[in-house]
Amino acid sequence: MIPAGPPPLDPDEARSRILEELAKAEYDNSPGFVDWLLGQIEQWYTNLVAGIDGSSAAQAGIAVLLLLALLVVAFLVLRRTGMIRRSHSLAVAPELDADPVLTAAELREASRSAITSGRFDDGAVLALRSLVRDLDQRTLLDVSAGLTAHEAAERAALSYPDLRGRIQRGATAFDTAAYSPRHATEKQADDLLRLAEYIADSAPDLTAVDAGGPTSTSESEPRSANGSGSPSTSGSRTGVRS
């Protein structure tokens, strides 16, 4: 008998795993965009100063003004591309087991408030924390110190295999909000909160857990505990802006 291979990966999950692997430092031998840009500016300015006659105060003044203009342009470019974040820290803790330990409902409410206030990074982080806390409260997931978003997503997908792709995308949104120079979008934060609310009202697929892994990678939704269908992406049940 030929042993059954692992279940096929959801395309979004496969893409996320590849990007996560390629982001590791051992694959990056380049000096980085910031170092390259600063090196180019330094080299240009050195060549410019070397060509200035020391007796010419006007030329020296022009060189200083050009350097300041270049630095301003470089800063604006880096900020526009996300290499420099507008805020270097979140207003909430990114750890999935962060103290104080709030209930899943409290975390969802905090996420909803953050999204409504335009703090989409905080909203995304709190939404995934609420999802993880909910599964922890229902003993469907064991939260340990240092648990990463994608590790939590893998374990959550055991109980909700049909939501695997959405959960993985939520973990990616969490990483973007918590650790990336880029920001989570309003849609990413809102979708993650809606997913957390839906899972909180849905019964897990215990047959997949008993089998030791997910049995499906489709995007169809599991049965809701209150008889509802899939999570809405256009309604107003979260109370946040769509």
Side-chain angles (χ1 to χ4, degrees):
M1 178 184 297
I2 300 176
L9 292 177
D10 177 271
D12 293 313
E13 179 187 357
R15 187 181 304 110
S16 175
R17 288 189 179 184
I18 291 173
L19 292 175
E20 188 175 359
E21 178 67 23
L22 292 177
K24 293 181 178 179
E26 55 261 34
Y27 297 110
D28 185 12
N29 296 322
S30 65
F33 177 72
V34 175
D35 291 339
W36 175 84
L37 180 61
L38 293 177
Q40 291 295 314
I41 293 176
E42 181 182 7
Q43 181 179 0
W44 171 85
Y45 187 69
T46 300
N47 293 338
L48 180 63
V49 171
I52 292 177
D53 186 348
S55 61
S56 175
Q59 287 182 328
I62 292 174
V64 171
L65 291 176
L66 287 175
L67 176 62
L68 291 176
L70 275 176
L71 290 176
V72 170
V73 170
F75 174 80
L76 293 176
V77 170
L78 293 175
R79 180 166 173 172
R80 177 67 177 174
T81 57
M83 297 298 292
I84 296 179
R85 294 196 68 155
R86 293 171 177 80
S87 173
H88 293 283
S89 63
L90 294 166
V92 298
E95 294 80 11
L96 296 178
D97 60 339
D99 289 326
V101 179
L102 303 176
T103 66
E106 289 172 334
L107 287 167
R108 287 194 297 272
E109 184 60 33
S111 173
R112 184 180 300 111
S113 176
I115 295 172
T116 303
S117 302
R119 296 171 16 243
F120 306 132
D121 285 338
D122 290 342
V125 167
L126 290 167
L128 188 68
R129 281 180 54 191
S130 74
L131 189 156
V132 169
R133 180 61 179 152
D134 173 67
L135 297 182
D136 181 48
Q137 289 175 319
R138 290 195 276 165
T139 68
L140 295 174
L141 188 153
D142 183 20
V143 179
S144 57
L147 180 70
T148 69
H150 282 279
E151 288 171 346
E154 279 293 324
R155 299 177 192 178
L158 296 177
S159 300
Y160 294 91
D162 293 335
L163 291 174
R164 169 177 290 271
R166 295 172 189 253
I167 296 172
Q168 287 290 347
R169 286 194 290 274
T172 300
F174 175 94
D175 283 346
T176 297
Y179 307 115
S180 170
R182 296 177 291 110
H183 292 280
T185 65
E186 179 180 8
K187 184 178 187 306
Q188 285 178 312
D190 189 48
D191 286 350
L192 184 48
L193 176 58
R194 292 177 187 275
L195 176 64
E197 291 189 318
Y198 177 72
I199 286 179
D201 292 334
S202 300
D205 184 354
L206 297 180
T207 59
V209 176
D210 293 338
T215 59
S216 171
T217 57
S218 67
E219 286 295 319
S220 61
E221 310 298 351
R223 178 179 60 85
S224 171
N226 60 11
S228 63
S230 61
S232 170
T233 57
S234 60
S236 58
R237 75 186 284 264
T238 63
V240 298
R241 296 175 296 164
S242 59

